[in-house]
Amino acid sequence: MKAVRIQAFGGPEVLNVEDVARPVPAADEILIKVYASGVNPVDWVVREGGNDALRAYLTLPMTLGWDAAGVVEELGSAVTGFQKGDAVYGEPNFPGDGSYAEYCAAKASQFAHKPKSLSFTEAAGVPLAGLTAWTGLFEHGHLQAGQRVLIQGASGGVGSFAVQFAKAKGAYVIGTASAGNLDYVQKLGADEVIDYRSQKFEDLVHDLDLVLEASPLRDNAERVKAISVLKTGGTFVTVNLDHPFDDAVHAALAAKQARGELSNNQPRQEWLQEIARLIDAGQVKVFISKVFPLAEVAEAHRESQTWHVHGKLVLQIRPNNEPA
């Protein structure tokens, strides 16, 4: 089968389409015939050698990609709940058999049936960013209906899902973005939008239940400002695991009697099922920025590294209309 492999860490030039053996699913895994794979910042972070949070888990050579949509080709001996031919979406094992490939093997518990209203290409843009947003908002942020949440980086891949999930669950949502993205964030459903370049959010909002840091900015001084807008006992959650809290952040949290959480993505089947229900109910939309063929994976990485992507980038492995 064809797969995008790296034999060394480095720039986009280390991405090579190679012929490799098709993986064999373990007892608790499914083999997925991949139709499309999402492209995420973590992909090129890994390609470059990882960060402090990832480096210890990376071994070469490696197939990249942790966002897949496709069809179940084989079932491991212990797998229940799926049948051969089922259309599915989810996260392959990280790191391991990546989704930049014609087939990938993954734990069945990290996949769910694909939203019926989405194509494979659209569905491939959901799992990693969607689960990162879900974990931050609900597992670590404990967001409830009627609460007020500030989402930093609301126009990005994680942020755009977070806005929609929070609204679907009945929260009041404030999103920060650049001026050119404010209309987009409003269309996602945000109740208020703030231009982070020309407006000081710390002067505009107060007494929030939750702040979700979904922007790529890694600055503890900015985190102190974000904690200042929490109500007493509120929660600050960041998805930037590679940038730990410093003493100033811990002091700000203590002053607010607030919780601070580093939120790691958790690929749970039940959350993927709930996300699929919200999508099929029309409460969450998936925005695809650009679709690349597998051979243009390097260009997809260059696009992702601009940090100016509206919606999701996707690699198309097979035509969506190919018979399953």
Side-chain angles (χ1 to χ4, degrees), residues 91 110 126-144 149 151 157-159 161-163 165-166 169 210-214 235-241 259-272 274-275 278:
E91 281 187 36
Q110 297 175 189
V126 176
L128 188 64
L131 287 166
T132 299
W134 194 275
T135 307
L137 287 174
F138 305 118
E139 177 72 1
H140 294 292
H142 305 302
L143 186 65
Q144 304 289 322
V149 57
I151 297 169
V158 174
F161 281 119
V163 169
F165 294 161
K169 294 297 185 179
L210 174 64
V211 174
L212 178 67
E213 182 185 72
T235 305
F236 176 84
V237 177
T238 179
V239 302
N240 296 320
L241 297 177
R259 289 188 303 115
E261 299 280 353
L262 296 168
S263 177
N264 196 11
N265 169 295
Q266 296 181 29
R268 294 191 190 176
Q269 187 177 77
E270 63 267 30
W271 296 351
L272 285 166
E274 176 66 13
I275 291 168
L278 292 174

Side-chain angles (χ1 to χ4, degrees), residues 280-315:
D280 285 338
Q283 292 181 273
V284 173
K285 299 190 182 306
V286 181
F287 297 91
I288 302 299
S289 173
K290 198 168 183 179
V291 179
F292 297 83
L294 193 63
E296 294 179 17
V297 60
E299 188 55 36
H301 273 224
R302 292 186 186 99
E303 181 87 5
S304 178
Q305 288 189 257
T306 67
W307 285 119
H308 293 300
V309 178
H310 239 184
K312 295 292 298 184
L313 301 175
V314 177
L315 291 177

Side-chain angles (χ1 to χ4, degrees), residues 113-127:
H113 291 96
K114 177 182 73 65
K116 293 180 174 62
S117 58
L118 297 186
S119 67
F120 287 110
T121 298
E122 292 167 324
V126 176

Side-chain angles (χ1 to χ4, degrees), residues 169-251:
K169 294 297 185 179
Y172 184 91
V173 180
I174 305 158
T176 68
S178 61
N181 289 328
L182 296 183
D183 284 346
Y184 172 66
V185 176
Q186 283 186 309
K187 288 176 183 175
L188 293 173
D191 298 286
E192 295 181 41
V193 293
I194 296 172
D195 177 359
Y196 70 85
R197 288 179 176 147
S198 67
Q199 297 176 289
K200 293 183 177 181
F201 70 87
E202 65 270 26
D203 293 338
L204 298 173
V205 294
H206 304 281
D207 298 318
L208 301 183
D209 298 279
L210 174 64
V211 174
L212 178 67
E213 182 185 72
S215 78
L217 183 65
R218 286 153 168 83
D219 185 339
N220 276 312
E222 288 297 313
R223 287 172 169 173
V224 170
K225 294 178 186 176
I227 292 164
S228 75
V229 305
L230 290 172
K231 70 178 188 182
T232 300
T235 305
F236 176 84
V237 177
T238 179
V239 302
N240 296 320
L241 297 177
D242 59 307
H243 193 66
F245 300 154
D246 65 6
D247 290 344
V249 171
H250 286 297

